[in-house]
Amino acid sequence: MKGNQLSIKTIVAIGIGAAVFIILAKFAAVPSPVPNTSIQTSYAFLALMAVVFGPIAGGLIGLIGHALNDAISYGSVWWSWVAVSMIVGLLIGLAAKKLDIESGIFNTKKIITFNIVQVIAQGFGWFLVAPALDILIYAEPANKVFLQGLFAGVSNMVTVGVIGTLLLAGYAKTRSRSNSLTREL
Amino acid sequence: MKKRVIEFNNYSFKYHSQAAPTLHDINITIFEGEKVLIVGPSGSGKSTIGHCINGLVPFSYKGEATGSLKIMGKDAHSLDIFSRSKIVGTVLQDPDGQFIGLTVGEDIAFSLENDSTEQGIMKNLVEETVKTVEMDEYLSSSIHHLSGGQKQRVSLAGVMVDKVEIILFDEPLANLDPATGQYAIELIDRIHKETNTTVVIIEHRLEDVLHRHVDRIIVVDDGRIVADMCPDKLLSSVILESSHIREPLYVRAAKYAGCDVIEEMKPSQLHSFSIESCKDKLLDWFEKANEAVPKEIKLPILQLKDISFRYAPGHETIKGISLSVEKGEMVSIVGKNGAGKSTLSKIICGFEKPRSGSILFKEQDITGDTIKERSFRIGMVMQNPNHMISKHLVFDEVALGLIIRGVPENEAKKQVEKVLKICGLYPFRNWPISALSFGQKKRVTIASILVLEPEVMILDEPTAGQDLRHYTEMMDFLAELNRQGMTILLITHDMHLMLEYTTRAIVMNKGRIIADDPPSMILTDSEITRQANLKETSLLVLAKRVGIKEPKEFVEHFIAYDREVRRQWQ
Amino acid sequence: MAVEMLSYIDRKTPIHQLTGVTKLICFIVWSSAAMLTYDTRILAFLFIFSIVIFIVSKIKVSEVSFVLIFILVFLFINNMAIYLFSPQEGVKIYGSSHVLIEIAGRYNVTIEQIFYQCNVTLKYFAVIPIALLFIVTTHPSEFAASLNKIGVSYRISYAVALALRYIPDVQRDFRTIALSQQARGIDMSKKEKLPIRIKNAASIIFPLILSSLDKIETISNAMELRGFGKSNKRTWYSARPFQRGDYVTLFVFGVIFVTAMVVTFHDGNRFYNPFES
């Protein structure tokens, strides 16, 4: 990768983004109705950062955030799943231009586009890449890893679909400049 | 004639994001080796001047400029931000944002690393520089073990290592306790003298900066330069008052007493201020009004009994604290960073569980109550309003807590509107919060707690980063709430706030309460002020010099008089 | 919410003396070897060798036990899941079936399955000590410099350094926000119904995002003002020069890696099969 294309702001966004990703993964998991599983809010955040800062930032936040979190929390890195976080961040980031969140407009059309992109990105990552790598590296049984991927994928799609959309809508609102503010008595 | 290092000529600037220009037709010349202070209220454009000097305008913040700006005799437009950074070193207001390295050494070396300096040379330079800011013992310390003042010294070293010709300080006192701030000013002065660097300080705490000599003060108001003169001359004029900048208190006192402060009296520093001619007037002024306010005794609303707490074994953050707050009191909690002030407030709100001891609310034990249950009685307003705001519109943010409590919509609307009126936010109720100023945001967070109708409110640094006018507005508003019966605890570094608005100050040091007295008594106790990193108020020194026998009462008299005068601004 | 994290543990041992670059390369080589091979003999050797290195490093098991417990629980669940989903995976891989305990049809316990699952577990075990050591014996300051040295662009390396630097700050912000929101009744624990819980989570995350965006702006200004990114390379204050120990270590790891690969793949199959012949 040619480093010259990365602005300082993007680099800082990757660093801080990875730190926030880690903290959300560790502390901001919402308990879900399925026992022993939780809704990972960190992927909703990853989606937001990818849309705001683009595919390279999205991919690297996923890669660095997930790898560092594995390392400092579990003492080893599950590269097969780390790769998925990277791919998801990267693919969602590809839609950044089209969504143009800085314009402050996040209408129904954009919400639908965002969700189609995130479902495709996560489907590719969780349903294909993660199981394929698990089989390749660990020779784990195919049916087991596909079911795992299916479960992780669906729950993350729902999370990003709900929380991610909420966050993007909130972010878009902060970007809209209202020049016509008047004091109402 | 000395070399001109910074030259603004008929310079105007407008940010792309704003409708009106921020700077209008500015003319400033700063000479080599000078030490210049730029003051002005919030939003006056003083930070923008700083940005123009260090290059953040136009490289980071885009906009249109007219007129000319020369740095070291060269047109600023011909210098990119990197060559600019070799000439101008900037120490930013937020030490956590500027301290990028993990350790002291690494952070100081940051700009050398970017220059691809060879490691051996780099280490020597870093070791040399770290000594000038007196941080050599901490060279390999992690950022997370340093105090705010130490981080700032490292940031200073980080720009000095480049041998810059101009050092720019952006609000260097904003996050420091009084004693640390005083030390920072002394350090800046020493470095200025030793290295003959040009120093530009942007700050609104004028009296604290004047603790050491400055050559010139530039006053900015509403994007224009309203004064550019030596401190003695400025202090003998009425410019500061009309720009709503707090003058040194001793100067204010002299002016209130009807003294004619003139340049020849050298008012810029208290020790040089010749007060012979106004002694009588000061004595007169003091004797004119001297009334004592009798204190009523009320019921305790909040009691802490022998509270202990620690974050990690072996290190007690709070050591057996007991205190009692009466209903309707306004109390300040002071002490240096890390003394346990914030931890104590978190324990009161239930954010942290004490290891031992009990908390009583109206004589009812609430030690075991959850955060949510406590929140019905005690409200906490955090220092940084951005940590509390999660809605887009002012109204929704204030209503959030009520909606969650299941208050019916009509009822909630009525209550929110009432609170918005009290807080002066009613005209803005349908505004996006992002369009508000920092002080207004802070009000929104206070409103969002107030609407839940707690009986006690704790505020962490309610006036940090606000200029005198906003400070007065905020504090008068809190004082009004207090008059209506709200019990208020304030955590603060601002000694004037404590003197002016609270009747009682609790001083903490190393997890213990070392004093619990009226503020005027605490600020006259040199042992307590030293231990708590506070600073003696200049009013006290003035009173002693004039020969007033009751300096404490003099201070109190000043506070009461000053409050009346400032009330007329609104 | 006290969740522990691994961090640098300072000791004076030969392992700590090695440069970050050496440790990073060794960690990568070791992980690759353990990922590629399924040869029981190699895995066993890797595991034993890594235990020896762990002992040399003088890191106490108690210092990393919270991680070990987590991994053991994870491996246990993982093994149960493998058995549940594919009890005859071992038979498929090794091409023979020796039934040990009869349960019911496909759930009969075979020696092949046990051997296969032992291999899966061993594969994790072979990496854990080295990975742990890499994390607790590499000073975080040196980490970014090491990444840059092995060819990662310095800009991305610095992004990693920033992440490590700001994790505690972000954690503090998050805690402050979560507590102050809780005090207003915004809760994302089990006490609330799911849809509310999710909405509340957004209310807590949103302030964190906004304050992080502010942080990004301040930090990039500060870095810009101090000349970050002006040239195509940069030096590192905390990088350390290579010493003899580094060369020796790299050589040894290289030999182990090559040997492991040769032994694993010489017969065209990454599995070691004790059941054939």
Side-chain angles (χ1 to χ4, degrees), chain A residues 33-98:
Chain A
V34 185
N36 282 328
T37 55
S38 53
I39 297 168
Q40 282 292 332
T41 55
S42 49
Y43 285 94
F45 169 75
L46 177 63
L48 171 86
M49 293 299 275
V51 171
V52 175
F53 292 98
I56 296 177
L60 287 171
I61 292 172
L63 171 72
I64 297 170
H66 195 154
L68 279 183
N69 184 41
D70 272 6
I72 61 177
S73 314
Y74 313 125
S76 23
V77 183
W78 276 266
W79 291 108
S80 46
W81 291 49
V82 170
V84 177
S85 294
M86 180 176 83
I87 290 167
V88 168
L90 183 87
L91 292 180
I92 294 179
L94 289 176
K97 278 236 170 67
K98 197 160 171 48

Side-chain angles (χ1 to χ4, degrees), chain B residues 270-383:
Chain B
L270 181 53
H271 64 84
S272 66
F273 188 29
S274 54
I275 45 165
E276 290 311 315
S277 58
C278 50
K279 238 178 189 168
D280 295 339
K281 281 188 176 153
L282 275 165
L283 282 167
D284 233 30
W285 179 67
F286 172 57
E287 276 159 3
K288 255 188 234 162
N290 192 3
E291 62 215 84
V293 187
K295 193 173 175 280
E296 307 168 48
I297 292 173
K298 288 182 183 162
L299 288 174
I301 188 163
L302 184 70
Q303 283 170 284
L304 268 58
K305 288 189 175 157
D306 203 25
I307 297 282
S308 289
F309 175 80
R310 64 184 186 198
Y311 285 103
H315 183 79
E316 301 277 314
T317 315
I318 299 290
K319 299 168 190 157
I321 279 188
S322 298
L323 68 92
S324 166
V325 178
E326 286 164 22
K327 186 165 169 45
E329 268 194 306
M330 187 135 150
V331 182
S332 47
I333 302 175
V334 296
K336 59 176 141 187
N337 291 329
K341 308 183 299 274
S342 296
T343 309
L344 187 68
S345 66
K346 283 180 183 161
I347 291 171
I348 296 174
C349 294
F351 294 177
E352 304 286 0
K353 295 262 165 279
R355 217 160 59 84
S356 65
S358 57
I359 303 171
L360 272 64
F361 188 87
K362 290 187 173 165
E363 313 206 314
Q364 182 191 343
D365 193 327
I366 57 162
T367 320
D369 285 11
T370 62
I371 297 180
K372 207 169 162 178
E373 286 161 338
R374 293 247 189 128
S375 71
F376 283 88
R377 302 181 161 119
I378 303 164
M380 167 95 179
V381 180
M382 301 283 178
Q383 180 174 356

Side-chain angles (χ1 to χ4, degrees), chain B residues 60-61 85-86 96 98-100 106-107 110 113-117 119 143 352 375 388 390 397 404, chain C residues 141 158 165-166 175 181 183-186 203 217 221 225-228 230 233-237 239:
Chain B
S60 225
Y61 302 112
S85 73
K86 293 283 135 199
D96 272 311
Q98 180 152 15
F99 200 130
I100 313 161
E106 256 177 283
D107 191 67
F110 186 76
E113 294 179 325
N114 296 330
D115 276 337
S116 301
T117 311
Q119 209 185 31
I143 157 120
E352 304 286 0
S375 71
M388 296 180 70
S390 58
E397 178 65 30
I404 282 169
Chain C
S141 302
Y158 211 83
R165 152 76 180 84
Y166 283 99
R175 231 182 105 77
Q181 297 294 54
R184 288 207 280 170
I186 303 173
S203 298
E217 174 146 345
N221 280 344
L225 286 176
R226 295 168 74 186
F228 184 83
K230 77 168 80 165
K233 60 181 187 12
R234 85 196 287 272
T235 48
W236 301 84
Y237 177 77

Side-chain angles (χ1 to χ4, degrees), chain A residues 54-165:
Chain A
I56 296 177
L60 287 171
I61 292 172
L63 171 72
I64 297 170
H66 195 154
L68 279 183
N69 184 41
D70 272 6
I72 61 177
S73 314
Y74 313 125
S76 23
V77 183
W78 276 266
W79 291 108
S80 46
W81 291 49
V82 170
V84 177
S85 294
M86 180 176 83
I87 290 167
V88 168
L90 183 87
L91 292 180
I92 294 179
L94 289 176
K97 278 236 170 67
K98 197 160 171 48
L99 291 170
D100 187 24
I101 197 82
E102 295 299 320
S103 68
I105 304 160
F106 193 60
N107 50 23
T108 322
K109 202 177 135 218
K110 285 192 184 177
I111 292 177
I112 293 169
T113 315
F114 166 70
N115 276 292
I116 292 174
V117 171
Q118 70 96 353
V119 167
I120 295 174
Q122 300 215 69
F124 176 71
W126 298 111
F127 301 159
L128 289 174
V129 179
L133 287 175
D134 271 345
I135 293 171
L136 212 66
I137 299 172
Y138 298 105
E140 293 210 352
N143 54 359
K144 175 201 169 235
V145 292
F146 277 109
L147 198 86
Q148 261 178 354
L150 193 73
F151 182 77
V154 170
S155 72
N156 277 323
M157 283 175 190
V158 175
T159 318
V160 176
V162 179
I163 301 183
T165 307

Side-chain angles (χ1 to χ4, degrees), chain B residues 199-467:
Chain B
V199 171
V200 179
I201 303 170
I202 298 171
E203 181 58 72
H204 64 259
R205 284 163 65 177
L206 181 63
E207 179 173 345
D208 294 326
V209 179
L210 287 178
H211 173 62
R212 283 287 181 269
H213 173 79
V214 300
D215 297 315
R216 211 145 42 99
I217 301 177
I218 295 170
V219 184
V220 190
D221 198 359
D222 206 15
R224 292 185 168 81
I225 306 292
V226 295
D228 181 351
M229 53 185 76
C230 73
D232 287 329
K233 194 168 171 196
L234 180 68
L235 292 180
S236 40
S237 73
V238 293
I239 297 166
L240 288 172
E241 197 183 350
S242 54
S243 297
H244 297 322
I245 295 160
R246 197 194 285 284
E247 286 176 282
L249 298 177
Y250 56 89
V251 175
R252 202 88 273 253
K255 287 183 180 174
Y256 283 158
C259 307
D260 199 8
V261 178
I262 52 169
E263 196 181 338
E264 287 67 32
M265 289 161 74
K266 300 203 181 303
S268 66
Q269 284 180 309
L270 181 53
H271 64 84
S272 66
F273 188 29
S274 54
I275 45 165
E276 290 311 315
S277 58
C278 50
K279 238 178 189 168
D280 295 339
K281 281 188 176 153
L282 275 165
L283 282 167
D284 233 30
W285 179 67
F286 172 57
E287 276 159 3
K288 255 188 234 162
N290 192 3
E291 62 215 84
V293 187
K295 193 173 175 280
E296 307 168 48
I297 292 173
K298 288 182 183 162
L299 288 174
I301 188 163
L302 184 70
Q303 283 170 284
L304 268 58
K305 288 189 175 157
D306 203 25
I307 297 282
S308 289
F309 175 80
R310 64 184 186 198
Y311 285 103
H315 183 79
E316 301 277 314
T317 315
I318 299 290
K319 299 168 190 157
I321 279 188
S322 298
L323 68 92
S324 166
V325 178
E326 286 164 22
K327 186 165 169 45
E329 268 194 306
M330 187 135 150
V331 182
S332 47
I333 302 175
V334 296
K336 59 176 141 187
N337 291 329
K341 308 183 299 274
S342 296
T343 309
L344 187 68
S345 66
K346 283 180 183 161
I347 291 171
I348 296 174
C349 294
F351 294 177
E352 304 286 0
K353 295 262 165 279
R355 217 160 59 84
S356 65
S358 57
I359 303 171
L360 272 64
F361 188 87
K362 290 187 173 165
E363 313 206 314
Q364 182 191 343
D365 193 327
I366 57 162
T367 320
D369 285 11
T370 62
I371 297 180
K372 207 169 162 178
E373 286 161 338
R374 293 247 189 128
S375 71
F376 283 88
R377 302 181 161 119
I378 303 164
M380 167 95 179
V381 180
M382 301 283 178
Q383 180 174 356
N384 183 349
N386 294 330
H387 283 164
M388 296 180 70
I389 293 168
S390 58
K391 289 284 173 199
H392 179 54
L393 299 176
V394 173
F395 186 92
D396 296 347
E397 178 65 30
V398 178
L400 184 63
L402 289 179
I403 304 292
I404 282 169
R405 285 189 184 174
V407 177
E409 211 172 304
N410 282 344
E411 183 57 26
K413 187 165 186 255
K414 239 184 269 168
Q415 287 185 36
V416 172
E417 285 181 351
K418 192 178 128 208
V419 167
L420 285 173
K421 278 179 190 156
I422 296 173
C423 299
L425 289 166
Y426 189 71
F428 308 101
R429 62 193 179 281
N430 293 319
W431 283 34
I433 296 172
S434 51
L436 301 180
S437 72
F438 185 85
Q440 286 171 323
K441 278 188 193 169
K442 190 101 189 182
R443 263 173 198 242
V444 172
T445 61
I446 294 175
S448 68
I449 295 299
L450 204 57
V451 78
L452 302 175
E453 299 181 326
E455 289 178 66
V456 176
M457 249 171 110
I458 306 177
L459 296 105
D460 195 350
E461 291 289 358
T463 58
Q466 300 184 39
D467 64 25

